[in-house]
């Protein structure tokens, strides 16, 4: 999550929220890593001409909400396993 947040923060700080304000990741020393590509696949970063990208605010909000949901589900799953373990061991 740290690298994802760093990428998002760089585009936010640059004000890259449209085709007109799109930026190259190299300007922020961001590699086109698996994490970067994941943000593209989730449509959080949108590519425009000349390998420039901008941050899509609405899709970012959806992405963050989905991340929170997954974290809550994982937490509930762990709690459930813990309770079951306690009940079984009696």
């Amino acid at each position: 999550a740290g690298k994802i947040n760093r990428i998002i923060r760089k585009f936010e700080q640059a004000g890259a929220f449209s085709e007109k304000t799109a930026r190259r990741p190299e300007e922020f020393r961001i590699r086109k890593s698996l994490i970067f590509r994941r943000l593209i696949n989730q449509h959080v970063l949108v590519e425009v001409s000349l390998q420039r990208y901008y941050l899509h605010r609405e899709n970012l909000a959806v992405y963050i909400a989905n991340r929170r949901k997954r974290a809550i589900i994982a937490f509930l799953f762990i709690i459930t396993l813990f309770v079951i373990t306690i009940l079984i061991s009696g």
Side-chain angles (χ1 to χ4, degrees):
K3 290 181 182 182
I4 291 172
N5 292 337
R6 181 179 160 271
I7 292 169
I8 290 169
R9 188 173 51 252
K10 295 288 185 181
F11 279 86
E12 283 178 330
Q13 289 171 344
F17 299 113
S18 69
E19 281 189 48
K20 190 175 184 177
T21 58
R23 306 289 287 270
R24 292 175 173 262
E26 294 82 15
E27 295 176 43
F28 312 120
R29 295 183 181 172
I30 296 172
R31 292 187 347 242
K32 294 181 184 173
S33 63
L34 179 63
I35 292 171
F36 186 83
R37 288 192 305 270
R38 184 180 306 156
L39 290 172
I40 294 168
N41 292 339
Q42 296 290 325
H43 307 288
V44 172
L45 291 175
V46 178
E47 185 175 11
V48 294
S49 63
L50 303 173
Q51 295 188 357
R52 293 170 41 241
Y53 300 84
Y54 70 89
L55 192 61
H56 192 285
R57 291 179 181 174
E58 292 82 13
N59 292 345
L60 174 60
V62 170
Y63 178 78
I64 290 170
N66 287 340
R67 246 175 49 178
R68 284 187 184 135
K69 285 179 194 174
R70 286 191 301 273
I72 290 169
I73 289 169
F75 176 74
L76 292 174
F77 180 74
I78 291 168
I79 295 298
T80 302
L81 288 177
F82 180 71
V83 169
I84 289 171
T85 303
I86 289 174
L87 292 174
I88 290 173
S89 64

